[in-house]
Amino acid sequence: MSDATDPWLIVGLGNPGPEYAANRHNVGFMVADLLAERIGGKFKRAPKAQAQVLEGRIGPPGPLSRRVVVAKPMSYMNLSGGPVTALRDFYKVPLDHVVAVHDELDVDYGTLRLKLGGGDNGHNGLKSMTKSMGPGYHRIRFGIGRPPGRMQVADFVLKDFSSTERKELAFLVDRAADSVECLLAEGLERAQSAYNS
């Protein structure tokens, strides 16, 4: 069982490379980048894992401050499990201290849903993580909504956010980063009641 001194591993899911940077599928990277900015550090290559990491602390000074590793797997989305498991082993992070931040089709745009465990709902990043580690990690699901008309899901998630969506995106990414901090400092129930809308 984990305790308050164990580190947390916050994983933003996405695809590496500039051509994917603004895609809906990369919202996890956007949240990870903002958390890194708040911590005040830069990502570096991870030891023993295909990922970029930043080590630091999240939360107010004192007993609510948490030791964290913020990570962006540098494999493609459907292979995220390998790098995440390698990071978890290297930093000795309990499974219930792993948090995946990812896009979610079945939730309206900008809506957040926090949960512990559960299925992957067809999300290839989660599928890969669950296959590697089991399902008992936290998820912060960032709603991107369903594709319009007959657009294929794969095309939709690999497109950039629309101009209308981009108007709110910075605020929504900020809110998702806040929800990570709340989860770590105050626990899942408190974070769900504050951020699940």
Side-chain angles (χ1 to χ4, degrees):
M1 196 59 197
S2 53
D3 69 39
T5 61
D6 286 320
W8 286 79
L9 175 59
I10 314 299
V11 181
L13 291 178
N15 284 308
E19 68 274 32
Y20 299 108
N23 288 179
R24 292 183 177 93
H25 223 16
N26 271 43
V27 76
F29 274 19
M30 296 172 197
V31 175
D33 287 338
L34 180 57
L35 287 168
E37 208 177 288
R38 290 181 181 186
I39 290 167
K42 290 212 179 324
F43 282 101
K44 60 184 195 314
R45 282 186 59 156
K48 302 190 189 303
Q50 191 183 356
Q52 290 186 348
V53 293
L54 168 69
E55 297 175 58
R57 296 193 84 83
I58 279 182
L64 293 181
S65 174
R66 300 287 181 255
R67 195 157 59 94
V68 296
V69 179
V70 180
K72 298 192 293 186
M74 290 288 113
S75 61
Y76 284 100
M77 178 73 87
N78 59 344
L79 300 171
S80 301
V84 176
T85 303
L87 291 171
R88 199 187 139 216
D89 291 346
F90 182 80
Y91 290 105
K92 299 180 172 46
V93 178
L95 185 56
D96 67 348
H97 275 210
V98 176
V99 182
V101 184
H102 63 91
D103 59 304
E104 176 61 61
L105 285 160
D106 287 331
V107 175
D108 290 340
Y109 174 66
T111 299
L112 295 177
R113 292 271 192 279
L114 284 73
K115 64 184 222 173
L116 175 62
D120 57 56
N121 207 19
H123 192 288
N124 289 330
L126 296 183
K127 199 176 287 183
S128 177
M129 283 179 62
T130 299
K131 190 175 173 193
S132 290
M133 305 187 301
Y137 54 91
H138 286 87
R139 298 99 193 276
I140 294 182
R141 302 155 73 198
F142 185 109
I144 59 168
R146 302 291 308 179
R150 295 174 177 226
M151 188 189 288
Q152 293 296 310
V153 164
D155 295 335
F156 180 69
V157 298
L158 293 176
K159 278 202 173 5
D160 291 359
F161 285 100
S162 70
S163 55
T164 309
E165 288 169 335
R166 282 199 298 272
K167 288 183 181 133
E168 283 187 287
L169 186 59
F171 166 76
L172 296 168
V173 167
D174 194 65
R175 192 163 179 271
D178 289 347
S179 79
V180 173
E181 295 188 1
C182 183
L183 170 66
L184 270 53
E186 301 182 54
L188 180 61
E189 261 181 59
R190 175 77 190 86
Q192 284 175 324
S193 68
Y195 292 95
N196 280 14
S197 37

